[in-house]
Amino acid sequence: MTSVAVVGGGPAGLMAAEVLASAGCAVTVYERMPAVGRKLLMAGRGGLNLTHSEPPAPFLARYGPAAARLAPAIEAFPPDALVAWAEGLGQLTFVGSSGRVFPQALKASPLLRAWLRRLQGLGVELRPRHDWRGWDEAGRLLFATPDGEATASPDATVLALGGASWPKLGANGDWVGVLKPAGVAVAPLKPANVGFEVGWSGLFRDRFAGEPLKAVALTFGRRRVRGEAMVTRHGLEGGAVYALSAALRDAIEVDGSARLWIDLRPDMRAPDLAARIAQQPAHQSLANRLRKAIRLTPLESSLLREAHGKALPAEPAALAAAIKGAPLTFTGIRPIARAISTAGGVAFAGVDDALMLIARPGVFVAGEMLDWEAPTGGYLLQASFATGVAAARGALRRLKIS
Ligand SMILES: Cc1cc2nc3c(=O)[nH]c(=O)nc-3n(C[C@H](O)[C@H](O)[C@H](O)COP(=O)(O)OP(=O)(O)OC[C@H]3O[C@@H](n4cnc5c(N)ncnc54)[C@H](O)[C@@H]3O)c2cc1C
């Protein structure tokens, strides 16, 4: 029987294992943690946004420069196929108001449990606590285990080792130190969907860290994004920030800082805001006028002062302009360990169309360890699952099984 090793038991690796085992291969999944799917379970805490319901063209565009190389995998295993797969595991799904797709259970544990049962039924063997260290001189896969070293000589290998965010969940990017010396082109790992540092005043930080800015619009360069942002002790994070984070990260890398603009009332035009503010008696404190006129919260009032300096204009039109465009300077990028996902990874130039490493024939690569990034919205899991399928099918073709 043909044997295939899958290294890394996240969504990409387990999906590769399912495809390979369904085609009749003897599959062993090696995982360094005591259990597989830790990051998938963590994603479940946010409701498990599996994929997105938007049409194929805008969907693919979310992957930016990697879209063309990811397209074959995503077209072969598109969002509909992912939904059907999840439903096949008993997890009915729904499309949220933003177009994002979630399991009705809004968590990952029932899906993972059903999936592991299916994999067991297919004869997939899970070997936890197997930390892959590379290859020995004989070309065998080398693992560190609690019982010492272990080796394996499969007919093909799928590496699905993840990125470097949330390293305590297992993936920490240390595979770069194995693959680069083996001649594999790897783009530097960088934080994606990440928060940024802001030099908040001590008072603001102590009072508002942990509070959300709801229904704001953020503008950086020519992109404007509506959504929520969370004030942290370090700066700002959350959905709207993540949506801009690739461009912000790249700008900070070049310039050392990046300035974005917050619109605290994106649904109101500046003249309407000014008219409402003008109706409030001028003798009141500014915070009171703004609270009564447009329900500006204490967080929003204080943010205006952080952004514009203490001396806010009293004149209604100028105040309205300040509310529609509060400048905030991001002075740094939060560490990759705190990011939702990872940009960079195994370069597409280093793999063939079957996602096989050119420098290491017979070894395929899948998931977040490939060099792509995407915003939150289900695009991360979709590409991880789809490249898991693609790498497994590539291995099957090489093994002449399909
Ligand atoms: C808090 C959070 C929430 C998220 N929510 C969502 C969401 O709602 N929707 C979405 O689309 N995406 C979400 N993501 C991202 C998504 O979880 C990842 O993109 C996805 O898990 C990547 O899958 P993967 O299989 O490539 O890597 P991983 O899931 O990271 O799996 C890689 C596996 O390889 C193992 N491994 C690594 N190195 C070795 C080694 N040397 N030897 C053996 N095993 C090794 C790791 O332990 C790990 O189990 C979220 C991420 C985080 C952190």
Side-chain angles (χ1 to χ4, degrees):
M1 200 176 187
T2 307
S3 65
V4 183
V6 173
V7 190
L14 294 179
M15 185 55 93
E18 179 174 341
V19 173
L20 289 159
S22 301
C25 296
V27 180
T28 307
V29 176
Y30 298 91
E31 165 60 51
R32 62 152 53 124
M33 301 295 280
V36 296
R38 295 279 308 273
K39 193 172 275 181
L40 183 67
L41 290 171
M42 177 56 78
R45 288 224 206 150
L48 195 65
N49 181 192
L50 282 170
T51 185
H52 201 285
S53 60
E54 70 191 350
F59 190 105
L60 272 176
R62 305 286 179 181
Y63 298 98
R69 287 301 302 270
L70 282 175
I74 292 176
E75 281 159 11
F77 190 76
D80 284 354
L82 176 48
V83 165
W85 171 84
E87 299 204 343
L89 287 170
Q91 295 304 302
L92 297 183
T93 62
F94 71 96
V95 180
S97 55
S98 57
R100 297 172 181 218
V101 180
F102 298 89
Q104 283 180 5
L106 285 172
K107 53 184 177 181
S109 43
L111 181 135
L112 184 60
R113 265 198 307 276
W115 197 8
L116 293 178
R117 270 198 305 275
R118 175 186 285 178
L119 292 175
Q120 196 184 18
L122 288 167
V124 172
E125 198 188 325
L126 299 184
R127 295 226 180 127
R129 297 190 171 87
H130 276 60
D131 192 351
W132 180 64
R133 297 293 170 88
W135 293 273
D136 66 10
E137 298 87 55
R140 296 175 301 187
L141 295 169
L142 192 62
F143 300 94
T145 81
D147 304 323
E149 269 186 7
T151 57
S153 306
D155 297 308
T157 300
V158 176
L159 298 177
L161 304 167
S165 73
W166 288 65
K168 64 180 180 194
L169 301 178
N172 63 8
D174 62 358
W175 51 263
V176 175
V178 176
L179 293 189
K180 258 187 147 176
V184 177
V186 180
L189 304 187
K190 296 178 182 181
N193 296 302
V194 67
F196 293 88
E197 293 178 3
V198 181
W200 301 129
S201 67
L203 273 176
F204 182 87
R205 179 186 303 122
D206 289 345
R207 181 155 175 215
F208 295 112
E211 282 200 25
L213 285 162
K214 293 194 170 156
V216 293
L218 306 185
T219 301
F220 179 62
R222 283 189 293 173
R223 266 201 78 197
R224 182 176 160 93
V225 172
R226 293 176 70 137
E228 194 168 307
M230 178 72 79
V231 174
T232 70
R233 292 196 68 75
H234 301 278
L236 210 60
E237 63 182 35
V241 179
Y242 298 157
L244 295 169
S245 67
L248 286 162
R249 177 197 67 214
D250 295 348
I252 292 173
E253 279 179 359
V254 174
D255 301 327
S257 66
R259 171 171 282 204
L260 90 167
W261 300 85
I262 305 187
D263 181 346
L264 293 172
R265 287 294 176 272
D267 289 322
M268 292 185 77
R269 292 180 331 115
D272 300 333
L273 273 179
R276 287 227 204 156
I277 295 166
Q279 283 167 8
Q280 296 300 319
H283 62 81
Q284 292 184 6
S285 74
L286 191 64
N288 263 343
R289 281 168 70 203
L290 293 175
R291 180 175 56 79
K292 289 184 183 162
I294 56 166
R295 296 192 182 172
L296 216 65
T297 63
L299 164 60
E300 290 169 331
S301 284
S302 302
L303 184 84
L304 281 184
R305 291 203 163 78
E306 293 285 310
H308 293 287
K310 293 254 178 293
L312 282 172
E315 195 272 315
L319 253 182
I323 291 162
K324 295 291 292 175
L328 215 53
T329 300
F330 285 172
T331 53
I333 310 162
R334 296 291 295 144
I336 196 164
R338 311 285 309 172
I340 298 287
S341 60
T342 302
V346 173
F348 279 103
V351 295
D352 67 11
D353 289 343
L355 300 181
M356 185 175 77
L357 291 176
I358 292 163
R360 197 93 205 183
V363 178
F364 297 77
V365 184
E368 214 180 296
M369 70 181 293
L370 279 159
D371 179 17
W372 55 269
E373 67 175 310
T376 56
Y379 308 102
L380 302 167
L381 282 173
Q382 177 69 52
S384 299
F385 284 120
T387 53
V389 173
R393 288 181 181 160
L396 290 172
R397 277 197 301 279
R398 181 175 166 86
L399 297 167
K400 305 211 172 359
I401 295 177
S402 69

